Amino acid sequence: MTRRPQTILITGVTRRVGADLAGHLLDAGHRVIGSYRRETDALRDLVDRGLVALPLDLLDRDRIEPFARTVAEHTDRLDLIVHNASIWHRDEDCAADPGLATAMYTVHVTAPIELTEALHRALPARRRDDGQADRQVVFLTDAHIDEGEPNHIHYIASKAAIEGSIRSLALRYAPHTRVNAIAPGLLMFHPEDDERYRRERLARRLLPFEPGPGVVAQTVDYLMACPLINQAVIRLDTGRRWEN
Ligand SMILES: NC(=O)c1ccc[n+]([C@@H]2O[C@H](COP(=O)([O-])OP(=O)(O)OC[C@H]3O[C@@H](n4cnc5c(N)ncnc54)[C@H](OP(=O)(O)O)[C@@H]3O)[C@@H](O)[C@H]2O)c1
């Protein structure tokens, strides 16, 4: 655990991983700013616990620059940005509506890169005397980039695009900012997933359990605590059975 309270921005804190991570970091005493589109019970609970909630639709790219300036009105420093917001459309839905594929590239690739840049303009990270980074950027990608996912090619391609950009972003922002990715495999099922689907998904893992969202918070704690990690992709997938 890092020594002093950090100021952290997380995109997409209305549910699941984003909400869990925001709650965990608030409980640890950090200052958390979270973006949302829809107001949910989880969001209202986080606001009651101290979250600064700011509206942002990443598909509305004209709003990114003003959003970064609004963040700067709430804080004079930003230690960590977690790009968590995501959409997950099947390829058959993208075939019926090609705008869905474009939307995934916007939410996973273009908008997070633009938001990172806009935040550096509105709230520049500082060059530190001790050589350590002043800020960290973490992207949530997906372990299935390695495994393959035949029904979500656009989703996986968009996540692979941002994962493939972290080396370049870390080069651009050194030495004041480091850039890493967390690539989860299955973290949690959706309520509508049936028993057979759950059994089959778990059988592909070396350790067949549903971990829940807390493993992302544990990994963010680790990335915050260890100043040496940069340009890294941390896979959270228990290992996999590779089918031949
Ligand atoms: N859950 C898993 O098993 C799993 C596995 C692999 C990778 N991941 C990655 O981990 C991250 C979190 O997963 P999750 O399951 O918690 O995702 P999720 O349930 O789909 O939640 C996504 C969040 O993104 C926000 N969002 C969606 N479209 C947006 C937009 N246009 N602008 C701004 N925010 C938008 C949503 O906000 P609204 O509710 O306001 O729309 C929501 O808060 C994602 O990046 C995902 O790809 C998760």
Side-chain angles (χ1 to χ4, degrees):
M1 180 50 69
T2 42
R3 282 181 292 274
R4 65 174 171 78
Q6 308 270 292
T7 301
I8 297 155
L9 171 68
I10 307 169
T11 60
V13 294
T14 57
R15 59 177 188 251
R16 288 161 57 92
V17 173
D20 180 83
L21 178 61
H24 169 83
L25 293 169
L26 286 167
D27 287 348
H30 299 299
R31 182 142 193 265
V32 184
I33 302 169
S35 82
Y36 70 96
R37 288 191 307 174
R38 293 170 309 121
E39 290 188 27
T40 59
D41 289 345
L43 180 74
R44 282 185 278 274
D45 174 61
L46 289 166
V47 169
D48 288 346
R49 292 157 68 188
L51 179 92
V52 176
L54 300 176
L56 176 67
D57 186 339
L58 290 164
L59 293 171
D60 192 356
R61 286 168 56 200
D62 290 345
R63 298 302 307 157
I64 289 175
E65 197 79 46
F67 174 84
R69 287 198 295 270
T70 306
V71 171
E73 286 166 12
H74 283 82
T75 178
D76 61 357
R77 60 171 302 116
L78 192 56
D79 302 287
L80 172 64
I81 305 167
V82 181
H83 292 292
N84 166 76
S86 173
I87 41 179
W88 194 62
H89 295 299
R90 295 172 65 87
D91 291 327
E92 62 187 49
D93 297 327
C94 295
D97 177 359
L100 297 180
T102 310
M104 284 194 285
Y105 286 90
T106 302
V107 171
H108 299 155
V109 187
T110 321
I113 290 173
E114 290 176 345
L115 177 57
T116 305
E117 289 275 347
L119 287 164
H120 276 296
R121 280 190 293 276
L123 201 54
R126 294 151 222 200
R127 191 182 184 127
R128 283 173 42 160
D129 292 341
D130 64 5
Q132 294 192 19
D134 187 52
R135 177 172 299 168
Q136 179 175 191
V137 181
V138 174
F139 292 91
L140 266 291
T141 62
D142 198 301
H144 294 93
I145 293 168
D146 284 347
E147 193 179 353
E149 232 290 15
N151 299 314
H152 289 91
I153 290 173
H154 284 295
Y155 165 82
I156 290 295
S158 64
K159 288 288 186 177
I162 195 61
E163 195 173 286
S165 303
I166 66 164
R167 298 189 77 81
S168 303
L169 289 164
L171 284 168
R172 171 174 295 179
Y173 294 132
H176 57 69
T177 299
R178 55 197 175 104
V179 184
N180 293 302
I182 298 172
L186 170 74
L187 293 175
M188 50 209 297
F189 289 110
H190 292 91
E192 64 273 19
D193 294 336
D194 63 31
E195 270 313 308
R196 184 176 163 195
Y197 174 82
R198 288 173 191 237
R199 258 199 322 275
E200 285 175 1
R201 285 291 307 272
L202 290 178
R204 281 156 57 190
R205 305 168 72 107
L206 291 190
L207 309 179
F209 69 99
E210 180 188 3
V215 290
V216 172
Q218 289 167 344
T219 310
V220 168
D221 280 346
Y222 167 62
L223 286 172
M224 287 166 72
C226 185
L228 201 60
I229 302 178
N230 196 14
Q231 297 185 321
V233 178
I234 300 184
R235 301 223 172 280
L236 291 182
D237 63 355
T238 85
R240 295 174 301 268
R241 288 180 206 289
W242 294 88
E243 306 289 347
N244 291 314

